[in-house]
PDB file of all heavy atoms in Angstrom:
ATOM      1  N   VAL F 190      -0.330  98.855-108.640  1.00 96.00           N
ATOM      2  CA  VAL F 190      -1.120  99.344-107.515  1.00 96.00           C
ATOM      3  C   VAL F 190      -2.467  98.625-107.539  1.00 96.00           C
ATOM      4  O   VAL F 190      -2.909  98.134-108.592  1.00 96.00           O
ATOM      5  CB  VAL F 190      -1.301 100.880-107.632  1.00 96.00           C
ATOM      6  CG1 VAL F 190      -2.213 101.237-108.794  1.00 96.00           C
ATOM      7  CG2 VAL F 190      -1.814 101.481-106.338  1.00 96.00           C
ATOM      8  N   ASN F 245     -35.127 120.034-119.781  1.00 91.00           N
ATOM      9  CA  ASN F 245     -36.509 119.853-119.343  1.00 91.00           C
ATOM     10  C   ASN F 245     -37.426 120.595-120.310  1.00 91.00           C
ATOM     11  O   ASN F 245     -36.943 121.380-121.142  1.00 91.00           O
ATOM     12  CB  ASN F 245     -36.680 120.338-117.901  1.00 91.00           C
ATOM     13  CG  ASN F 245     -36.338 121.796-117.718  1.00 91.00           C
ATOM     14  OD1 ASN F 245     -37.045 122.675-118.198  1.00 91.00           O
ATOM     15  ND2 ASN F 245     -35.226 122.076-117.023  1.00 91.00           N
ATOM     16  N   LEU F 249     -36.460 123.352-123.166  1.00 88.00           N
ATOM     17  CA  LEU F 249     -36.658 122.967-124.562  1.00 88.00           C
ATOM     18  C   LEU F 249     -37.467 124.020-125.313  1.00 88.00           C
ATOM     19  O   LEU F 249     -37.128 124.399-126.443  1.00 88.00           O
ATOM     20  CB  LEU F 249     -37.353 121.606-124.630  1.00 88.00           C
ATOM     21  CG  LEU F 249     -37.582 121.026-126.027  1.00 88.00           C
ATOM     22  CD1 LEU F 249     -36.260 120.860-126.760  1.00 88.00           C
ATOM     23  CD2 LEU F 249     -38.313 119.695-125.936  1.00 88.00           C
ATOM     24  N   TRP F 267     -20.743 129.140-131.445  1.00 83.00           N
ATOM     25  CA  TRP F 267     -21.192 128.596-132.730  1.00 83.00           C
ATOM     26  C   TRP F 267     -20.082 127.887-133.485  1.00 83.00           C
ATOM     27  O   TRP F 267     -20.347 126.990-134.300  1.00 83.00           O
ATOM     28  CB  TRP F 267     -21.808 129.712-133.574  1.00 83.00           C
ATOM     29  CG  TRP F 267     -23.130 130.126-133.001  1.00 83.00           C
ATOM     30  CD1 TRP F 267     -23.384 131.205-132.215  1.00 83.00           C
ATOM     31  CD2 TRP F 267     -24.365 129.410-133.105  1.00 83.00           C
ATOM     32  NE1 TRP F 267     -24.696 131.222-131.827  1.00 83.00           N
ATOM     33  CE2 TRP F 267     -25.329 130.142-132.361  1.00 83.00           C
ATOM     34  CE3 TRP F 267     -24.747 128.242-133.758  1.00 83.00           C
ATOM     35  CZ2 TRP F 267     -26.654 129.723-132.256  1.00 83.00           C
ATOM     36  CZ3 TRP F 267     -26.076 127.831-133.655  1.00 83.00           C
ATOM     37  CH2 TRP F 267     -27.000 128.566-132.921  1.00 83.00           C
ATOM     38  N   ALA F 291     -38.194 110.900-115.692  1.00 96.00           N
ATOM     39  CA  ALA F 291     -37.340 109.749-115.371  1.00 96.00           C
ATOM     40  C   ALA F 291     -35.974 110.209-114.871  1.00 96.00           C
ATOM     41  O   ALA F 291     -35.426 109.652-113.913  1.00 96.00           O
ATOM     42  CB  ALA F 291     -37.189 108.856-116.599  1.00 96.00           C
ATOM     43  N   LEU F 294     -36.321 111.608-111.291  1.00 95.00           N
ATOM     44  CA  LEU F 294     -36.484 110.535-110.313  1.00 95.00           C
ATOM     45  C   LEU F 294     -35.144 109.876-110.006  1.00 95.00           C
ATOM     46  O   LEU F 294     -34.821 109.591-108.847  1.00 95.00           O
ATOM     47  CB  LEU F 294     -37.473 109.490-110.843  1.00 95.00           C
ATOM     48  CG  LEU F 294     -38.944 109.920-110.862  1.00 95.00           C
ATOM     49  CD1 LEU F 294     -39.777 108.909-111.643  1.00 95.00           C
ATOM     50  CD2 LEU F 294     -39.490 110.046-109.446  1.00 95.00           C
ATOM     51  N   PRO F 305     -26.262 112.824 -96.019  1.00 97.00           N
ATOM     52  CA  PRO F 305     -25.651 111.832 -95.126  1.00 97.00           C
ATOM     53  C   PRO F 305     -24.198 111.524 -95.494  1.00 97.00           C
ATOM     54  O   PRO F 305     -23.340 111.393 -94.608  1.00 97.00           O
ATOM     55  CB  PRO F 305     -26.549 110.597 -95.290  1.00 97.00           C
ATOM     56  CG  PRO F 305     -27.861 111.141 -95.743  1.00 97.00           C
ATOM     57  CD  PRO F 305     -27.533 112.325 -96.592  1.00 97.00           C
ATOM     58  N   GLN F 359     -40.553 138.018 -96.892  1.00 96.00           N
ATOM     59  CA  GLN F 359     -39.798 136.913 -96.299  1.00 96.00           C
ATOM     60  C   GLN F 359     -38.401 136.809 -96.909  1.00 96.00           C
ATOM     61  O   GLN F 359     -37.440 136.481 -96.209  1.00 96.00           O
ATOM     62  CB  GLN F 359     -40.572 135.605 -96.477  1.00 96.00           C
ATOM     63  CG  GLN F 359     -41.820 135.527 -95.628  1.00 96.00           C
ATOM     64  CD  GLN F 359     -42.693 134.339 -95.985  1.00 96.00           C
ATOM     65  OE1 GLN F 359     -42.911 134.035 -97.165  1.00 96.00           O
ATOM     66  NE2 GLN F 359     -43.197 133.655 -94.970  1.00 96.00           N
ATOM     67  N   GLU F 364     -32.542 137.944 -96.385  1.00 96.00           N
ATOM     68  CA  GLU F 364     -31.443 138.659 -97.037  1.00 96.00           C
ATOM     69  C   GLU F 364     -31.755 140.151 -97.076  1.00 96.00           C
ATOM     70  O   GLU F 364     -32.306 140.656 -98.054  1.00 96.00           O
ATOM     71  CB  GLU F 364     -31.223 138.114 -98.462  1.00 96.00           C
ATOM     72  CG  GLU F 364     -30.758 136.676 -98.524  1.00 96.00           C
ATOM     73  CD  GLU F 364     -29.369 136.470 -97.909  1.00 96.00           C
ATOM     74  OE1 GLU F 364     -28.656 137.479 -97.685  1.00 96.00           O
ATOM     75  OE2 GLU F 364     -29.009 135.322 -97.653  1.00 96.00           O
ATOM     76  N   ARG F 366     -30.114 142.727 -97.709  1.00 93.00           N
ATOM     77  CA  ARG F 366     -29.566 143.509 -98.837  1.00 93.00           C
ATOM     78  C   ARG F 366     -30.428 143.383-100.094  1.00 93.00           C
ATOM     79  O   ARG F 366     -30.229 144.112-101.063  1.00 93.00           O
ATOM     80  CB  ARG F 366     -28.144 143.050 -99.139  1.00 93.00           C
ATOM     81  CG  ARG F 366     -27.155 143.268 -98.006  1.00 93.00           C
ATOM     82  CD  ARG F 366     -26.897 144.754 -97.736  1.00 93.00           C
ATOM     83  NE  ARG F 366     -26.248 145.423 -98.832  1.00 93.00           N
ATOM     84  CZ  ARG F 366     -24.923 145.569 -98.948  1.00 93.00           C
ATOM     85  NH1 ARG F 366     -24.135 145.101 -97.994  1.00 93.00           N
ATOM     86  NH2 ARG F 366     -24.403 146.199 -99.971  1.00 93.00           N
ATOM     87  N   PRO F 378     -34.035 125.021 -97.160  1.00 98.00           N
ATOM     88  CA  PRO F 378     -33.396 125.206 -95.843  1.00 98.00           C
ATOM     89  C   PRO F 378     -32.357 124.155 -95.495  1.00 98.00           C
ATOM     90  O   PRO F 378     -31.515 124.396 -94.625  1.00 98.00           O
ATOM     91  CB  PRO F 378     -34.580 125.146 -94.874  1.00 98.00           C
ATOM     92  CG  PRO F 378     -35.640 124.379 -95.603  1.00 98.00           C
ATOM     93  CD  PRO F 378     -35.462 124.727 -97.048  1.00 98.00           C
ATOM     94  N   ARG F 392      -7.979 119.897 -97.775  1.00 97.00           N
ATOM     95  CA  ARG F 392      -8.167 119.005 -96.626  1.00 97.00           C
ATOM     96  C   ARG F 392      -8.551 117.591 -97.056  1.00 97.00           C
ATOM     97  O   ARG F 392      -8.151 116.615 -96.409  1.00 97.00           O
ATOM     98  CB  ARG F 392      -9.217 119.589 -95.678  1.00 97.00           C
ATOM     99  CG  ARG F 392      -8.699 120.822 -94.973  1.00 97.00           C
ATOM    100  CD  ARG F 392      -9.536 121.170 -93.777  1.00 97.00           C
ATOM    101  NE  ARG F 392      -9.287 122.558 -93.388  1.00 97.00           N
ATOM    102  CZ  ARG F 392      -9.988 123.196 -92.476  1.00 97.00           C
ATOM    103  NH1 ARG F 392     -10.975 122.567 -91.837  1.00 97.00           N
ATOM    104  NH2 ARG F 392      -9.706 124.458 -92.172  1.00 97.00           N
ATOM    105  N   ALA F 407       0.686 113.493-113.368  1.00 96.00           N
ATOM    106  CA  ALA F 407       0.956 112.896-114.676  1.00 96.00           C
ATOM    107  C   ALA F 407      -0.338 112.878-115.465  1.00 96.00           C
ATOM    108  O   ALA F 407      -1.432 112.979-114.907  1.00 96.00           O
ATOM    109  CB  ALA F 407       1.505 111.478-114.513  1.00 96.00           C
ATOM    110  N   SER F 408      -0.200 112.748-116.775  1.00 96.00           N
ATOM    111  CA  SER F 408      -1.347 112.633-117.665  1.00 96.00           C
ATOM    112  C   SER F 408      -1.481 111.200-118.135  1.00 96.00           C
ATOM    113  O   SER F 408      -0.501 110.597-118.591  1.00 96.00           O
ATOM    114  CB  SER F 408      -1.190 113.559-118.875  1.00 96.00           C
ATOM    115  OG  SER F 408      -1.192 114.921-118.486  1.00 96.00           O
ATOM    116  N   ALA F 415      -5.764  93.859-119.868  1.00 84.00           N
ATOM    117  CA  ALA F 415      -5.113  92.610-120.258  1.00 84.00           C
ATOM    118  C   ALA F 415      -4.940  91.747-119.019  1.00 84.00           C
ATOM    119  O   ALA F 415      -4.502  92.231-117.971  1.00 84.00           O
ATOM    120  CB  ALA F 415      -3.752  92.875-120.916  1.00 84.00           C
ATOM    121  N   VAL F 434     -10.408 103.666-111.626  1.00 98.00           N
ATOM    122  CA  VAL F 434     -11.573 104.540-111.540  1.00 98.00           C
ATOM    123  C   VAL F 434     -11.316 105.746-112.430  1.00 98.00           C
ATOM    124  O   VAL F 434     -10.328 106.465-112.235  1.00 98.00           O
ATOM    125  CB  VAL F 434     -11.833 105.000-110.097  1.00 98.00           C
ATOM    126  CG1 VAL F 434     -13.059 105.912-110.036  1.00 98.00           C
ATOM    127  CG2 VAL F 434     -12.011 103.798-109.166  1.00 98.00           C
ATOM    128  N   SER F 441     -12.930 112.851-119.455  1.00 98.00           N
ATOM    129  CA  SER F 441     -13.080 111.407-119.260  1.00 98.00           C
ATOM    130  C   SER F 441     -13.461 110.655-120.533  1.00 98.00           C
ATOM    131  O   SER F 441     -13.235 109.443-120.609  1.00 98.00           O
ATOM    132  CB  SER F 441     -14.152 111.136-118.188  1.00 98.00           C
ATOM    133  OG  SER F 441     -13.783 111.659-116.934  1.00 98.00           O
ATOM    134  N   PRO F 453     -21.615 109.839-124.369  1.00 96.00           N
ATOM    135  CA  PRO F 453     -21.836 111.148-125.000  1.00 96.00           C
ATOM    136  C   PRO F 453     -21.564 112.306-124.032  1.00 96.00           C
ATOM    137  O   PRO F 453     -22.428 113.143-123.742  1.00 96.00           O
ATOM    138  CB  PRO F 453     -23.315 111.084-125.403  1.00 96.00           C
ATOM    139  CG  PRO F 453     -23.933 110.195-124.380  1.00 96.00           C
ATOM    140  CD  PRO F 453     -22.889 109.157-124.071  1.00 96.00           C
ATOM    141  N   GLY F 459     -18.046 126.805-117.418  1.00 93.00           N
ATOM    142  CA  GLY F 459     -18.576 127.625-116.341  1.00 93.00           C
ATOM    143  C   GLY F 459     -17.586 128.719-115.951  1.00 93.00           C
ATOM    144  O   GLY F 459     -16.370 128.523-116.017  1.00 93.00           O
ATOM    145  N   LEU F 471     -24.257 138.732 -98.270  1.00 97.00           N
ATOM    146  CA  LEU F 471     -25.375 137.800 -98.217  1.00 97.00           C
ATOM    147  C   LEU F 471     -25.131 136.799 -97.089  1.00 97.00           C
ATOM    148  O   LEU F 471     -23.988 136.603 -96.658  1.00 97.00           O
ATOM    149  CB  LEU F 471     -25.524 137.060 -99.548  1.00 97.00           C
ATOM    150  CG  LEU F 471     -25.837 137.899-100.791  1.00 97.00           C
ATOM    151  CD1 LEU F 471     -25.648 137.072-102.062  1.00 97.00           C
ATOM    152  CD2 LEU F 471     -27.271 138.436-100.722  1.00 97.00           C
ATOM    153  N   MET F 484     -24.789 133.788-106.373  1.00 98.00           N
ATOM    154  CA  MET F 484     -23.952 134.718-105.620  1.00 98.00           C
ATOM    155  C   MET F 484     -23.718 134.060-104.257  1.00 98.00           C
ATOM    156  O   MET F 484     -24.660 133.914-103.468  1.00 98.00           O
ATOM    157  CB  MET F 484     -24.652 136.068-105.462  1.00 98.00           C
ATOM    158  CG  MET F 484     -25.019 136.719-106.782  1.00 98.00           C
ATOM    159  SD  MET F 484     -25.853 138.344-106.608  1.00 98.00           S
ATOM    160  CE  MET F 484     -27.444 137.861-105.897  1.00 98.00           C
ATOM    161  N   ARG F 492     -18.428 135.296-104.342  1.00 98.00           N
ATOM    162  CA  ARG F 492     -18.189 134.593-105.607  1.00 98.00           C
ATOM    163  C   ARG F 492     -19.477 134.597-106.418  1.00 98.00           C
ATOM    164  O   ARG F 492     -20.548 134.253-105.907  1.00 98.00           O
ATOM    165  CB  ARG F 492     -17.725 133.160-105.371  1.00 98.00           C
ATOM    166  CG  ARG F 492     -17.525 132.373-106.659  1.00 98.00           C
ATOM    167  CD  ARG F 492     -16.938 130.989-106.429  1.00 98.00           C
ATOM    168  NE  ARG F 492     -15.542 131.078-106.011  1.00 98.00           N
ATOM    169  CZ  ARG F 492     -14.756 130.000-105.838  1.00 98.00           C
ATOM    170  NH1 ARG F 492     -15.246 128.772-106.028  1.00 98.00           N
ATOM    171  NH2 ARG F 492     -13.505 130.157-105.473  1.00 98.00           N
ATOM    172  N   SER F 529     -11.684 140.760-108.086  1.00 97.00           N
ATOM    173  CA  SER F 529     -10.344 140.404-107.618  1.00 97.00           C
ATOM    174  C   SER F 529      -9.791 139.184-108.347  1.00 97.00           C
ATOM    175  O   SER F 529      -8.581 138.960-108.342  1.00 97.00           O
ATOM    176  CB  SER F 529     -10.372 140.141-106.113  1.00 97.00           C
ATOM    177  OG  SER F 529     -11.311 139.118-105.798  1.00 97.00           O
ATOM    178  N   ILE F 556     -13.984 101.374-113.664  1.00 97.00           N
ATOM    179  CA  ILE F 556     -15.207 101.908-113.055  1.00 97.00           C
ATOM    180  C   ILE F 556     -15.293 103.396-113.352  1.00 97.00           C
ATOM    181  O   ILE F 556     -14.326 104.138-113.167  1.00 97.00           O
ATOM    182  CB  ILE F 556     -15.211 101.651-111.534  1.00 97.00           C
ATOM    183  CG1 ILE F 556     -15.214 100.141-111.279  1.00 97.00           C
ATOM    184  CG2 ILE F 556     -16.415 102.311-110.870  1.00 97.00           C
ATOM    185  CD1 ILE F 556     -14.978  99.761-109.851  1.00 97.00           C
ATOM    186  N   ALA F 592     -25.674 103.622-115.011  1.00 94.00           N
ATOM    187  CA  ALA F 592     -24.730 102.727-115.677  1.00 94.00           C
ATOM    188  C   ALA F 592     -24.428 103.220-117.088  1.00 94.00           C
ATOM    189  O   ALA F 592     -25.277 103.807-117.767  1.00 94.00           O
ATOM    190  CB  ALA F 592     -25.314 101.314-115.739  1.00 94.00           C
TER     191      ALA F 592
END
Side-chain angles (χ1 to χ4, degrees):
V190 70
N245 60 69
L249 183 59
W267 289 100
L294 288 169
Q359 290 170 317
E364 295 295 345
R366 297 293 295 267
R392 290 196 198 172
S408 295
V434 180
S441 297
L471 298 167
M484 302 180 291
R492 177 175 290 185
S529 57
I556 297 170

